[in-house]
Amino acid sequence: LVVAASYQSALAELADVVLPVETWLEQSGHYVNLEGRLQSATGAVTAPAPVRSNLAVLAGLAQWLGSGLTPIWQTTRPGDLLPVWPELR
């Protein structure tokens, strides 16, 4: 079991491998709220040196497995998502 986690939890305790990732306070990005609206978030603090974003961990894992992420996974602008998910308009 591989877990990406930012803190100790019951699931992390069960994991064979724990990948350290940023907490919600350190993350910048976009999310869809409960009303279906696309919103952006800016990290309030910087993560410690060995900790990476969820996307960086996913990209590194994909590269290690001999693959890569498609450009849609690498976007940081919410407008780039609208052609893929038009219901977010």
Side-chain angles (χ1 to χ4, degrees):
L1 175 64
V2 177
V3 174
S6 53
Y7 53 88
Q8 196 75 0
S9 69
L11 183 60
E13 289 288 330
L14 294 173
D16 297 302
V17 176
V18 177
L19 303 172
V21 294
E22 297 173 327
T23 66
W24 64 271
L25 196 58
E26 298 160 337
Q27 295 176 5
S28 292
H30 302 92
Y31 64 95
V32 177
N33 70 17
L34 293 174
E35 296 173 341
R37 295 183 184 159
L38 183 63
Q39 294 187 308
S40 62
T42 303
V45 296
T46 303
V51 180
R52 301 189 302 165
S53 70
N54 286 297
L55 182 59
V57 169
L58 183 61
L61 185 58
Q63 184 178 13
W64 184 77
L65 293 171
S67 185
L69 298 181
T70 60
I72 192 65
W73 283 97
Q74 298 168 5
T75 186
T76 59
R77 299 174 304 182
D80 293 345
L81 298 174
L82 295 179
V84 178
W85 293 300
E87 62 272 14
L88 296 180
R89 291 179 195 260

